[in-house]
Amino acid sequence: MLRRLLLAVLVALPGGGLGAQGVRLPAAGPAKPDWIENLPEVPGRLYAMGTAELSGNEGDAIARASDRARLGVVSRLRATVKGRTSVTTRTSELQQPGGKASGAGERQVRDEVSVGAAVEDLPGLVVERTHSDPVGRTVYALAYLDLAVARGALAARLDQAKASRIRVGDELSRKARWRLRKLQDELGRIDGAITLLAFTGTGLELRPALQTERGAVDKALQRLENKDLPPMDLSRTAMGLRANVEFPPGIQAYLESQILECGLVYRNLNPDLILSFTFAGGARGPEFIYVDVAPYSGVTYQLDAKMVILEGEGLAITRPVPLQLSQSDSPEGMVNQFRRLFERRLPKLVAEVVTEVQ
């Protein structure tokens, strides 16, 4: 009698209790939200849910569930999405002291999903909520498409494209031709997004203005395609600098001097090109050089950035180039390494600009 009473008390304790064999039962997770069983119905929004197995890193599982939720929204729009399932078998061997080795195989099935380019051009598609269920080993994500946001963003992009075309005007240069080609691509992406939203009727009223603008860009581009345009003159091309951090003393002047070494003009006011840096960082956010402290390796100095050349209006001309350094000597040593790496990368980026614009 006393033993049964003790077991009843232990089972009733917060955080779980003991099973029949004295094994502690797992604590129950938070209650599942209603949206897992019934998707919300909100006027002007299109909802979908995605799930992922909760194994290993929870952040990775949340990212997979979020991708699948976005894919769910897209599938409701009858879009084409890319998906692939890979199967991996891993075999491990266990050797008992004085005994034979025994092998065990573990089969892992992984869904590799990617959101297509059409979705990247679909504004207003966001993941609203996530929920982790440790007992069920599942992560849930709820995504929705805000149709009003999508329509407004597409209208703004169309206005920006028209303004960019007007700024090109009658300019006869290879850079102007490159701008118009990029505008053709942008208008095509806007058209694709409107087609994607046709199921909802969102953005269809933008079609006449879109077709008018595509015709104007095509006409302006055709005029330049028939011209024998002079090659890009670097000595008449101004480049400015942009970064998401404040450079240490001396680095700004050094970067300016390297731009001049490449034959360009340095100018931050209305430049033709922009050399843009995006730095990562530690716990305090983006930094030029940040400190990483590990229990065993000690202090290391890190530099993690991406560098890209933009056209004056902000369009990327080159691919992003990584600048990643790590060492334990000193911050000064990191600065010297950065200079050597930058001096190798910048001329190649400038050459890429010349090739792209030509």
Side-chain angles (χ1 to χ4, degrees):
M1 178 67 179
L2 181 59
R3 183 172 181 272
R4 287 199 301 272
L5 180 60
L6 178 60
L7 284 174
V9 171
L10 288 172
V11 170
L13 288 174
L18 298 179
Q21 304 301 320
V23 178
R24 182 166 294 278
L25 300 175
K32 291 183 180 179
D34 293 340
W35 54 264
I36 290 180
E37 299 297 334
N38 299 293
L39 290 178
E41 293 186 6
V42 179
R45 288 185 178 182
L46 195 65
Y47 279 90
M49 186 184 70
T51 64
E53 181 185 1
L54 182 56
S55 60
N57 186 285
E58 182 180 10
D60 291 342
I62 290 174
R64 292 195 301 272
S66 298
D67 277 346
R68 289 168 187 161
R70 286 188 286 264
L71 287 171
V73 174
V74 174
S75 66
R76 294 190 64 184
L77 293 169
R78 302 173 185 175
T80 300
V81 297
K82 300 175 183 178
R84 183 177 65 181
T85 299
S86 63
V87 179
T88 303
T89 302
R90 184 175 60 193
T91 303
S92 60
E93 187 176 88
L94 178 64
Q95 177 74 52
Q96 297 288 350
K100 295 182 178 180
S102 60
E106 178 185 355
R107 188 170 180 268
Q108 296 180 339
V109 178
R110 176 180 300 169
D111 291 327
E112 298 176 358
V113 292
S114 61
V115 179
V119 178
E120 294 173 2
D121 286 322
L122 190 62
L125 179 56
V126 298
V127 175
E128 182 180 31
R129 304 173 193 168
T130 61
H131 173 78
S132 297
D133 179 8
V135 177
R137 307 297 299 164
T138 305
V139 170
Y140 302 86
L142 179 69
Y144 71 82
L145 174 66
D146 189 310
L147 299 176
V149 171
R151 193 268 175 206
L154 290 173
R157 286 169 58 183
L158 182 55
D159 289 342
Q160 290 169 3
K162 181 178 180 179
S164 295
R165 190 254 310 164
I166 292 174
R167 279 194 294 271
V168 170
D170 296 328
E171 181 181 342
L172 297 176
S173 69
R174 297 189 183 223
K175 189 177 71 172
R177 184 176 63 187
W178 179 86
R179 284 183 186 174
L180 292 171
R181 287 172 178 172
K182 290 300 179 183
L183 286 177
Q184 267 190 335
D185 295 341
E186 168 67 355
L187 293 171
R189 288 193 296 269
I190 294 173
D191 192 13
I194 293 175
T195 301
L196 193 63
L197 293 168
F199 165 68
T200 67
T202 302
L204 293 180
E205 71 281 4
L206 299 175
R207 271 266 160 79
L210 173 64
Q211 296 305 324
T212 298
E213 188 56 33
R214 293 185 85 167
V217 170
D218 290 346
K219 182 178 179 180
L221 184 57
Q222 187 62 41
R223 179 176 64 91
L224 290 180
E225 297 286 9
N226 295 329
K227 296 286 185 180
D228 185 16
L229 301 173
M232 183 177 180
D233 185 355
L234 290 181
S235 65
R236 294 172 176 263
T237 303
M239 175 179 280
L241 285 171
R242 178 189 298 171
N244 63 336
V245 301
E246 184 176 347
F247 289 117
I251 292 296
Q252 176 81 21
Y254 163 76
L255 295 174
E256 294 174 11
S257 68
Q258 290 302 305
I259 289 173
L260 298 175
E261 285 288 330
C262 288
L264 294 153
V265 177
Y266 174 77
R267 187 180 72 228
N268 256 336
L269 181 62
N270 297 323
D272 302 297
L273 304 172
I274 301 169
L275 180 59
S276 176
F277 294 89
T278 303
F279 286 86
R284 295 184 298 176
E287 294 182 81
F288 179 68
I289 295 174
Y290 66 95
V291 178
D292 184 33
V293 181
Y296 300 104
S297 58
V299 175
T300 58
Y301 298 97
Q302 309 275 351
L303 187 150
D304 186 359
K306 289 184 178 179
M307 179 173 69
V308 64
I309 294 181
L310 311 174
E311 192 265 342
E313 295 184 7
L315 295 174
I317 298 181
T318 67
R319 70 196 188 288
V321 173
L323 298 171
Q324 295 175 320
L325 297 168
S326 176
Q327 58 112 317
S328 58
D329 294 339
S330 67
E332 292 77 14
M334 285 288 287
V335 170
N336 292 332
Q337 286 191 48
F338 168 76
R339 292 187 177 193
R340 288 193 293 269
L341 181 59
F342 179 77
E343 288 169 14
R344 294 197 303 269
R345 297 286 170 84
L346 181 60
K348 293 180 180 179
L349 271 187
V350 172
E352 188 177 333
V353 169
V354 174
T355 300
E356 175 71 14
V357 173
Q358 302 296 61

